Amino acid sequence: MLPKGSDWKSRKSKKKYELEKEQIERIYELEKEQVERKYELEKEKVKRKYNRLKNERIERKYKLEKERVEKNYELEKEQAESTYELEKLQVERKYELIEKKFGRLKIERIKKMYELEKEQIIEIVRNLVHNKSYIVYGYWYCHQWKCEHKKPLQCISREKCEYRDKLDDLQLLYSGKCKHKSQCQSVMECRNKFKRKWQTENNCKLEWRKRYDQELLKKSLEVISERRTGWLEFFQTCENNHENLISSFLLYTSENSNKPDLEIIRHLVWNHYYRVFGNWKCSRCQKKWRSAYTWISLQKFITKATGKQCIKGDYVMQKCKERTCGNDGIISSYKPLVRSESGEHKRHLCEKCKRGYECFESGTYFGYQYI
Ligand SMILES: [Zn+2]
Ligand SMILES: [Zn+2]
Ligand SMILES: [Zn+2]
Ligand SMILES: [Zn+2]
Ligand SMILES: [Zn+2]
């Protein structure tokens, strides 16, 4: 048995022990917290270091890869260029032969075309100068050549660009075959089809307008009729520095409308006529026919005269298509020309061509509605 005093003592030391234990535990918690915080900080530091190293490694790898790709690209470019040069030479030789045949005629044709274009503009402006119902804008659509070949193999000249696409067509042409749906009757026809399609796909396509008020129309008409070079005012340069003759005149009924009420396409003008799509009937028998080569008075077109309001003299006569009849035709209705699918000009149907004139078309532009 323990004495009373020792029992008290033992209780006292027990209390002390409890206190100390508590203190130690508190210190332990504190230290634990500190260590944990330190551990977290250390972890962050290591993580940052790891990331930095990782980025450096990726950067190095990326640089190497880039160098490799660039070297490959140079090699491939060189290869493609030498193939292109070879092909070009082959086509050039063939093309020279064709040029020898048709080249000399070209200069005369160009001169004739300039005269015709000048007359077309004069005719349109003459009809617009006294108009009071329309707001008039000149409209330019750039159909000049622009290379659509993939970079870096872009062509430096139109001829070169065309040669590249011409290779296959030329081979077909020389072997006497034709890849067009309606088999071409002549080499010329086939060549023109290719040219037209190629032109529509490889042009600049920039467009812009210029307002022509009555004052400006009057001044322009004076200049173009009196000065030899007066029509050059209707040439404008696009942002890619291509020269273009005016494509059409857009006529609006209000300044705010975004669609023109009427469009006069320059290359569809012939003397005082304008080419439209007409519905015809015979003045004697029941025969009816339609013609995309209908020429009506430009003035009637601008004033939106109906087909019935067009009398003899307002249009270029077409005779009844019924062979045994052959009487004069009458226009029952007409509408602006729509672009034909083949895009080729059928000279045997065109009254203008049949009368010995030549239709020079810009070929690619058939109205605001198609852009
Ligand atoms: Zn090209
Ligand atoms: Zn063909
Ligand atoms: Zn252009
Ligand atoms: Zn008839
Ligand atoms: Zn024609």
Side-chain angles (χ1 to χ4, degrees):
M1 275 255 304
L2 285 162
K4 248 186 173 178
S6 117
D7 191 31
W8 178 82
K9 233 181 181 174
S10 137
R11 244 181 309 169
K12 201 179 166 189
S13 76
K14 200 177 174 190
K15 209 174 173 188
K16 200 179 165 193
Y17 162 73
E18 287 291 336
L19 268 167
E20 257 173 39
K21 192 184 151 203
E22 234 172 78
Q23 219 174 7
I24 287 167
E25 266 174 354
R26 218 177 301 129
I27 289 168
Y28 167 73
E29 281 301 323
L30 265 167
E31 270 178 6
K32 196 180 137 199
E33 229 174 80
Q34 262 175 359
V35 169
E36 259 172 14
R37 215 177 302 135
K38 209 173 155 191
Y39 165 73
E40 281 300 326
L41 274 168
E42 203 59 33
K43 209 174 112 187
E44 264 313 302
K45 228 164 90 186
V46 170
K47 215 168 140 187
R48 265 203 303 274
K49 198 174 167 193
Y50 167 74
N51 275 341
R52 208 185 58 232
L53 284 171
K54 198 173 124 201
N55 283 344
E56 267 168 25
R57 228 187 58 222
I58 290 174
E59 190 83 16
R60 244 195 328 270
K61 209 173 150 192
Y62 164 75
K63 254 187 205 155
L64 276 170
E65 189 64 21
K66 201 178 140 200
E67 261 167 44
R68 201 179 60 83
V69 168
E70 266 171 3
K71 217 165 125 193
N72 252 4
Y73 164 78
E74 284 300 325
L75 267 169
E76 267 172 35
K77 195 181 139 193
E78 248 168 62
Q79 256 170 14
E81 261 171 2
S82 67
T83 327
Y84 164 61
E85 287 298 325
L86 216 94
E87 284 175 355
K88 200 188 80 190
L89 266 175
Q90 286 174 340
V91 184
E92 251 168 17
R93 225 165 287 145
K94 284 179 180 175
Y95 197 73
E96 261 170 35
L97 285 173
I98 299 179
E99 279 301 316
K100 253 185 206 159
K101 257 184 177 167
F102 303 106
R104 242 166 296 138
L105 286 167
K106 252 187 181 166
I107 299 155
E108 281 310 306
R109 262 175 70 97
I110 288 168
K111 275 190 202 157
K112 239 162 96 185
M113 187 177 76
Y114 280 171
E115 269 312 302
L116 202 96
E117 286 173 342
K118 185 179 154 186
E119 278 163 26
Q120 286 168 336
I121 297 171
I122 292 179
E123 189 59 30
I124 300 173
V125 179
R126 211 169 53 78
N127 270 284
L128 290 178
V129 80
H130 298 301
N131 126 84
K132 283 192 177 72
S133 30
Y134 290 115
I135 297 159
V136 180
Y137 278 89
Y139 176 72
W140 283 259
Y141 174 74
C142 183
H143 51 76
Q144 304 284 327
W145 164 68
K146 191 167 158 256
C147 177
E148 295 292 348
H149 286 115
K150 277 205 186 102
K151 278 177 188 166
L153 292 180
Q154 292 225 298
C155 312
I156 48 162
S157 82
R158 184 203 162 97
E159 283 71 26
K160 276 174 192 163
C161 193
E162 203 176 337
Y163 293 151
R164 282 173 74 181
D165 294 333
K166 226 172 192 173
L167 193 67
D168 295 341
D169 283 67
L170 273 175
Q171 266 159 2
L172 274 177
L173 223 115
Y174 276 88
S175 60
K177 277 176 251 159
C178 162
K179 65 171 184 181
H180 294 113
K181 234 185 217 165
S182 55
Q183 286 288 303
C184 297
Q185 298 300 307
S186 67
V187 170
M188 256 313 232
E189 192 184 341
C190 206
R191 199 167 162 253
N192 284 341
K193 266 188 207 170
F194 163 78
K195 205 169 183 84
R196 187 157 294 146
K197 188 170 173 282
W198 188 84
Q199 277 171 355
T200 358
E201 284 162 8
N202 296 275
N203 61 17
C204 165
K205 296 183 182 73
L206 282 176
E207 50 171 340
W208 64 97
R209 304 186 312 174
K210 178 190 172 182
R211 176 90 151 89
Y212 277 92
D213 58 15
Q214 299 312 113
E215 194 81 13
L216 186 57
L217 282 170
K218 221 175 125 188
K219 208 187 111 210
S220 302
L221 185 61
E222 274 171 25
V223 169
I224 193 173
S225 328
E226 283 162 23
R227 267 197 277 145
R228 265 183 85 95
T229 53
W231 64 300
L232 293 180
E233 298 218 348
F234 291 89
F235 276 97
Q236 285 203 1
T237 313
C238 80
E239 279 170 31
N240 292 327
N241 214 20
H242 303 131
E243 270 224 316
N244 286 279
L245 184 57
I246 191 164
S247 304
S248 72
F249 284 87
L250 305 175
L251 312 186
Y252 297 83
T253 41
S254 110
E255 194 72 65
N256 301 321
S257 49
N258 44 13
K259 257 196 167 174
D261 193 47
L262 211 65
E263 177 174 22
I264 308 166
I265 297 167
R266 186 201 28 82
H267 73 85
L268 297 180
V269 174
W270 169 41
N271 291 337
H272 62 279
Y273 296 115
Y274 188 67
R275 192 176 149 199
V276 291
F277 187 89
N279 290 306
W280 292 75
K281 64 179 183 204
C282 177
S283 58
R284 194 159 160 203
C285 73
Q286 294 304 305
K287 182 77 183 172
K288 283 179 179 169
W289 67 94
R290 306 187 304 163
S291 168
Y293 297 90
T294 299
W295 300 90
I296 66 163
S297 135
L298 176 61
Q299 190 245 330
K300 292 275 169 186
F301 178 77
I302 292 173
T303 53
K304 285 191 170 173
T306 62
K308 288 181 187 75
Q309 285 166 339
C310 294
I311 51 164
K312 244 185 180 176
D314 288 338
Y315 50 86
V316 178
M317 182 55 71
Q318 287 191 14
K319 295 284 181 189
C320 179
K321 299 291 174 204
E322 191 66 60
R323 238 178 246 169
T324 50
C325 176
N327 265 274
D328 284 355
I330 298 168
I331 294 177
S332 36
S333 66
Y334 69 87
K335 58 182 183 187
L337 202 66
V338 277
R339 183 165 55 184
S340 76
E341 249 134 61
S342 65
E344 59 178 315
H345 192 70
K346 299 189 181 75
R347 315 195 92 86
H348 62 288
L349 292 175
C350 175
E351 283 301 320
K352 180 179 163 190
C353 288
K354 273 168 36 184
R355 287 168 193 224
Y357 297 92
E358 207 171 340
C359 282
F360 300 102
E361 289 178 61
S362 315
T364 53
Y365 185 68
F366 268 94
Y368 201 63
Q369 52 183 324
Y370 293 106
I371 301 168

